[in-house]
Amino acid sequence: MFRMNKTTSLDPVNWDEFREQAHGMLDDIIDYLEQVRERPVWRPIPDAIREHFREALPLGPAAISSVHETFMHDVLPYAVGNIHPGFMGWVHGGGTPVGMLAEMLAAGMNANLGGRDHMPIEVEKQISIWMRELFGFPETSSGLFVTGTSMANFIALLVARYAFLGSNVRKNGVHEHRLAAYTSESAHGSVVRAFDFAGIGTDTLRQIPVNENFEMDVEALASAVKKDRESGLRPFFVSATAGTVDTGAIDDLAAIADCARREDLWFHVDGAFGALAMLAPEIAPRLSGIDRADSIAFDFHKWGQVPYDAGFILVRDGELHRKTFASAASYLRRENRALAAGSPWPCDFGLDLSRGFRALKTWYTIKVFGAEKLGQVISETCKLALYLKSRIMEQPQLELLAPVSLNIVCFRYRCAESDRVNAEIVVKLQESGVAAPSTTLIKGMLAIRAAIVNHRTGKSNIDALIDAVLAYGESMTYEHA
Ligand SMILES: *Cc1c(COP(=O)(O)O)cnc(C)c1O
């Protein structure tokens, strides 16, 4: 029970009752995590339950216990399933019970990390210091939590735009500047979209072809830059990918860094999930050159296992980063003492003014598990990807469609009408609740795509995926014949 306060305060009248309710809710969600393996990965939402969420605005109160019952019955069972070890779709992190608790504590503090002088900002700065250390960035670099890599890529582009065109761009925009920028055909859509949002236009961005390993063809990059210069354009930016979304390919960062230096381009790395492979000693050398980036965008909520959302942008030149966003507003005046101290504030480095305490769940995760253990999780998911590859290679009915570079495996069931059948196999897999891969197109062919990101995933989940793909494939092609 939760009785309403007679004043306008929204606090409980009886804290003991509230505490009991709270402990019960905590137990419910801990049970949910503990029993994750006993449930299907995903299940469809019954229409009746969807209907419960079409009600009119409630004017009066309800007991928290009854609202919680609705949550337990209608919401919790119908999650996307990314905490489940059988989830392999897209690139979704698994989260941890530790991160969950930290998120609760952050909500209790209800801190606003736009600015001002308080410890939560110091926690965020601590993460920046750690990330500087991890990526070999100088002390003058800046870091900022954002929703995700989509936002981080956008911020990087805005800083690069400011670096190239100067402070006038903030007043005049980019009209008639004849800019040119580069990424690969395998780049994430958020890189392309950033050019739209920044007013630079997506036509400015060249998508350089990839080699047989789906890595940017660096010679093609160099000749595209040369050609653009010859035709009077002004190349200013290149975005490399550390871990492409389709296949997990890592561009040759050192070679792209060389090209960027030669051509005086801003060197950005989209390392949404792959950048944190720096934590895994045997993978880190493959990211060499990342320390030469002007900016790195990545997510703690993918391979870092921090609960959603926790994206991050690191910029080598912190002052340039600040100048890109800082603006003077009288209500945001700074002081040397008291609450308005501590300038510059996080709001001087990005688009958001009010910001939540994403740093706390990240800090707990890194402190509690340590960088080595988080690196081992990353290594393990890559080993599982190789195990999945070996299971595919030994099955004549299955075909590997792309090299396995990190933790992503693309394959298909060989048959007539392969695209239709493989898309249907993935739908059936998801509906079965056994495993949840997603799909993508590899060289125009529909691929079953398994991205192993979750620390809970093990060999048995890989075996279950293979067994189910073979069973569905056989039954469908049998029906077909
Ligand atoms: C996931 C991903 C993104 C987008 O990140 P969000 O956190 O979803 O915004 C960008 N680039 C790559 C390579 C990704 O895998």
Side-chain angles (χ1 to χ4, degrees):
M1 266 303 292
F2 181 77
R3 276 182 284 114
M4 281 289 158
N5 210 315
K6 294 233 169 11
T7 70
T8 52
S9 168
L10 302 178
D11 281 338
V13 179
N14 183 330
W15 285 94
D16 288 334
E17 276 176 15
F18 179 79
R19 192 181 299 274
E20 204 181 313
Q21 173 71 34
H23 289 174
M25 287 166 72
L26 191 56
D27 279 337
D28 284 343
I29 198 73
I30 292 174
D31 287 346
Y32 177 78
L33 292 174
E34 188 181 4
Q35 294 154 15
V36 63
R37 288 171 180 79
E38 295 158 31
R39 293 189 303 269
V41 182
W42 178 85
R43 62 180 71 156
I45 308 168
D47 289 343
I49 285 186
R50 226 183 267 276
E51 267 313 296
H52 290 173
F53 286 77
R54 301 288 184 270
E55 68 174 18
L57 180 69
L59 297 180
I64 185 171
S65 54
S66 91
V67 176
H68 179 59
E69 260 169 51
T70 306
F71 168 78
M72 292 299 291
H73 185 266
D74 290 0
V75 180
L76 196 57
Y78 307 103
V80 82
N82 52 302
I83 71 164
H84 193 287
F87 189 92
M88 300 167 194
W90 301 275
V91 186
H92 276 33
T96 67
V98 168
M100 174 191 80
L101 289 179
E103 189 73 319
M104 183 188 71
L105 301 178
M109 279 188 91
N110 191 26
N112 179 343
L113 278 83
R116 293 155 290 271
D117 196 22
H118 51 129
M119 267 320 279
I121 300 234
E122 299 303 319
V123 177
E124 182 158 343
K125 285 184 186 162
Q126 171 72 86
I127 308 288
S128 288
I129 291 168
W130 288 340
M131 292 305 108
R132 251 183 236 156
E133 182 185 331
L134 184 67
F135 292 108
F137 266 43
E139 256 182 52
T140 45
S141 59
S142 47
L144 187 79
F145 271 96
V146 289
T147 40
T149 293
S150 302
M151 181 58 91
N153 282 336
F154 179 46
I155 288 178
L157 177 60
L158 293 176
V159 183
R161 187 186 75 158
Y162 181 97
F164 190 69
L165 297 174
S167 59
N168 274 340
V169 72
R170 295 189 61 183
K171 278 204 304 251
N172 306 338
V174 291
H175 201 59
E176 299 281 299
H177 278 298
R178 309 209 62 208
L179 302 176
Y182 310 85
T183 192
S184 90
E185 281 171 352
S186 295
H188 192 264
S190 60
V191 176
V192 183
R193 279 156 51 94
F195 280 79
D196 167 5
F197 307 152
I200 300 174
T202 54
D203 278 355
T204 303
L205 184 65
R206 315 279 183 253
Q207 292 197 260
I208 304 297
V210 292
N211 64 21
E212 67 286 359
N213 294 322
F214 298 88
E215 300 156 0
M216 191 191 298
D217 178 340
V218 185
E219 274 178 28
L221 168 68
S223 53
V225 174
K226 184 160 176 273
K227 191 166 146 246
D228 282 338
R229 274 201 211 290
E230 282 165 6
S231 53
L233 296 179
R234 303 171 70 204
F236 81 108
F237 177 90
V238 59
S239 178
T241 310
T244 62
V245 66
D246 277 337
T247 68
I250 304 172
D251 286 338
D252 186 341
L253 303 179
I256 297 171
D258 287 341
C259 176
R261 177 160 309 161
R262 233 177 13 247
E263 297 290 345
D264 205 14
L265 308 178
W266 184 277
F267 173 36
H268 174 66
V269 175
D270 173 353
F273 66 93
L276 284 185
M278 286 298 282
L279 295 168
E282 77 281 13
I283 308 176
R286 293 173 51 205
L287 296 170
S288 85
I290 199 167
D291 55 316
R292 292 163 63 191
D294 290 302
S295 50
I296 307 173
F298 62 98
D299 286 322
F300 289 107
H301 58 221
K302 290 177 173 171
W303 249 352
Q305 313 295 336
V306 172
Y308 284 89
D309 48 33
F312 204 80
I313 176 73
L314 196 62
V315 178
R316 172 176 304 279
D317 185 338
E319 185 52 15
L320 204 58
H321 185 182
R322 191 190 63 80
K323 283 186 184 153
T324 303
F325 291 100
S327 54
S330 48
Y331 46 85
L332 294 176
R333 185 187 143 86
R334 313 300 156 88
E335 302 290 351
N336 290 323
R337 286 168 30 225
L339 263 168
S343 188
W345 291 349
C347 65
D348 302 325
F349 293 89
L351 285 78
D352 296 313
L353 177 52
S354 293
R355 306 166 64 249
F357 196 0
R358 298 183 180 104
L360 191 66
K361 58 194 171 186
T362 310
W363 182 77
Y364 262 90
T365 301
I366 295 175
K367 287 285 278 186
V368 169
F369 299 110
E372 284 177 6
K373 175 83 180 183
L374 294 171
Q376 282 162 16
V377 168
I378 287 170
S379 302
E380 186 57 30
T381 58
C382 292
K383 284 186 195 138
L384 285 170
L386 289 178
Y387 175 67
L388 173 54
K389 173 183 165 180
S390 73
R391 293 281 338 250
I392 292 164
M393 301 299 273
E394 74 195 17
Q395 293 291 341
Q397 302 95 311
L398 301 180
E399 179 185 3
L400 189 72
L401 290 180
V404 178
S405 159
L406 279 175
N407 60 331
I408 299 179
V409 182
C410 292
F411 66 106
R412 66 170 175 170
Y413 187 84
R414 291 180 207 260
C415 57
E417 288 190 72
S418 159
D419 285 5
R420 185 188 63 79
V421 171
N422 281 280
E424 184 62 20
I425 288 174
V426 169
V427 167
K428 283 186 195 255
L429 280 167
Q430 292 174 357
E431 285 175 345
S432 75
V434 169
S438 56
T439 63
T440 192
L441 288 180
I442 299 290
K443 296 182 179 147
M445 284 178 284
L446 190 129
I448 302 173
R449 177 181 164 287
I452 300 149
V453 187
N454 191 329
H455 57 97
R456 300 180 181 96
T457 304
K459 274 190 171 171
S460 63
N461 303 106
I462 305 291
D463 291 335
L465 169 71
I466 289 286
D467 293 349
V469 168
L470 290 172
Y472 287 129
E474 255 164 55
S475 73
M476 286 175 66
T477 46
Y478 178 75
E479 276 165 28
H480 187 68

